[in-house]
Amino acid sequence: MVGRFSGDPPQPRKAIFRRFFHPKTGQEIDRGLLLWFPGPSSFTGEDCCELHVHGGSAVSSAIIDALGSVSGLRYAGPGEFTRRSFQNGKLDLTEVEGIADLINAETEAQRRLALRQMNGALAKLYAAWKDKLLKNVAHLEAFIDFSEEENIEDGVTQAVFDNIVEVQQDIQRHLQDSRRGERLRTGVHLAIVGRPNVGKSSLLNTLCGRPVAMVSPVAGTTRDVIETTLNISGYPVIVSDTAGLRHTNDELESEGVRRAIERSKSSDILVVVVDVRDASVQRFLSSGHSSADRFVSRLLRRLGVVTLQSEGL
């Protein structure tokens, strides 16, 4: 196939400047770089050819048309190169997930995490656990088979038990990481809550640096959850502005209050906005902040937010 476009195949893994021709009409399409990766020394483990051409739409269309005229060639499906690499043993599942995360990374922290996983950090960790378990299985089987015939050291079973407990604890610590990897991958959810007209929407607009939410002196302007994603020091943060929490007979506002409470309970961080002119806030400020936790807890109970996954102020 390579020869039909540009003559004889170049040396493997070496960029060669070539002219590209339509295989049926013989008309020159473009000039660019050709790279040839014969399997198994390629990303997928199969023969692979790369054409580096100019990026204009006409050139791209002509190259695609030329490739489409060759029998047996077709578009690759989504993720097909990675799938073939996995099937041919070039990547494991953790590295495949790392590639997907790297492609979808939007912040610097996401990129670093994805690259670390793509380079095999998780695979090495899991392989170490596997090696420890297999080693202990071998020791236990040897003890069962030869303990009465050979000089098997005392304490083998206790050592195996201790090692298994250690691996179990390592796995539990790995799983109980407060979903740090998931939060970094999908974003930290932060909800802004409080009574009506205390400045929640103004805070959101300040954080975003643009007017995301409407601001009005009329209480109850925000009826639904307004969500926007921020990049804060390389970390994705999904900020939600919510309706003011209060009892109301207005059906639409009541639904907004319900959604605000629901979002507050599912968020990773809760930012409670208060009016400094409120009497309870004045008492708290005059107390020297010595009872911040108790003040926030009482405030959340009054607002109807009673179950939190994590708190922030």
Side-chain angles (χ1 to χ4, degrees):
M1 188 275 289
V2 177
R4 299 180 66 178
F5 277 92
S6 60
D8 296 332
Q11 296 182 27
R13 291 170 295 281
K14 180 176 290 188
I16 303 295
F17 182 76
R18 289 284 178 90
R19 295 174 181 267
F20 301 117
F21 300 89
H22 197 289
K24 288 191 174 180
T25 66
Q27 183 179 5
E28 181 178 349
I29 301 174
D30 194 15
R31 291 175 290 179
L33 296 179
L34 174 68
L35 291 95
W36 170 241
F37 300 94
S41 299
S42 66
F43 175 74
T44 62
E46 305 169 355
D47 292 345
C48 182
C49 175
E50 292 185 4
L51 307 179
H52 293 241
V53 298
H54 294 95
S57 58
V59 174
S60 300
S61 297
I63 289 290
I64 292 173
D65 178 69
L67 292 172
S69 68
V70 178
S71 177
L73 291 186
R74 62 171 177 81
Y75 280 108
E80 184 170 353
F81 282 92
T82 303
R83 175 175 61 80
R84 292 192 178 203
S85 182
F86 169 71
Q87 291 174 336
N88 292 326
K90 306 290 286 188
L91 297 172
D92 62 31
L93 278 178
T94 62
E95 292 168 327
V96 169
E97 289 180 349
I99 291 175
D101 290 342
L102 185 62
I103 293 173
N104 295 319
E106 297 179 350
T107 69
E108 179 63 17
Q110 288 177 322
R111 183 195 64 79
R112 289 197 303 266
L113 178 66
L115 188 62
R116 180 172 173 269
Q117 182 168 335
M118 191 180 72
N119 288 336
L122 281 181
K124 293 174 183 176
L125 176 64
Y126 299 158
W129 291 340
K130 177 183 176 182
D131 291 342
K132 287 182 181 179
L133 292 174
L134 289 177
K135 182 177 180 180
N136 284 280
V137 167
H139 287 171
L140 193 58
E141 289 180 345
F143 177 79
I144 295 173
D145 292 339
F146 307 112
S147 60
E148 296 181 356
E149 303 173 7
E150 305 291 339
N151 293 324
I152 302 296
E153 296 181 3
D154 295 333
V156 171
T157 56
Q158 184 60 45
V160 168
F161 177 79
D162 293 340
N163 291 334
I164 296 299
V165 170
E166 182 180 346
V167 173
Q168 181 185 27
Q169 292 173 345
D170 288 343
I171 294 175
Q172 288 176 340
R173 281 193 294 269
H174 180 71
L175 294 176
Q176 296 171 353
D177 66 345
S178 301
R179 298 171 34 242
R180 284 196 297 267
E182 179 185 346
R183 285 191 176 100
L184 185 54
R185 193 174 291 115
T186 62
V188 177
H189 289 265
L190 182 151
I192 304 174
V193 300
R195 297 188 184 281
N197 264 26
V198 292
K200 301 184 299 299
S201 297
S202 297
L203 174 60
L204 176 67
N205 292 341
T206 300
L207 291 174
C208 297
R210 58 188 177 90
V212 176
M214 291 189 300
V215 177
S216 169
V218 179
T221 302
T222 304
R223 298 293 184 93
D224 203 351
V225 176
I226 300 176
E227 190 176 273
T228 186
T229 301
L230 300 179
N231 182 343
I232 301 179
S233 299
Y235 293 88
V237 180
I238 302 170
V239 183
S240 300
D241 181 24
T242 62
L245 301 178
R246 67 174 178 177
H247 295 291
T248 176
N249 294 324
D250 186 286
E251 185 175 347
L252 288 178
E253 188 176 357
S254 295
E255 175 62 19
V257 171
R258 186 193 67 80
R259 294 187 182 189
I261 293 176
E262 185 178 86
R263 179 59 59 92
S264 70
K265 293 180 179 179
S266 63
S267 296
D268 300 308
I269 301 175
L270 199 60
V271 175
V272 183
V273 182
V274 298
D275 188 341
V276 294
R277 296 168 297 182
D278 185 271
S280 61
V281 177
Q282 289 290 331
R283 287 194 296 271
F284 164 68
L285 295 175
S286 63
S287 69
H289 304 181
S290 59
S291 56
D293 291 341
R294 188 163 59 253
F295 168 74
V296 173
S297 297
R298 285 199 304 266
L299 178 61
L300 293 177
R301 283 196 296 271
R302 289 201 303 269
L303 293 175
V305 182
V306 293
T307 304
L308 305 176
Q309 292 181 343
S310 58
E311 295 181 2
L313 183 60

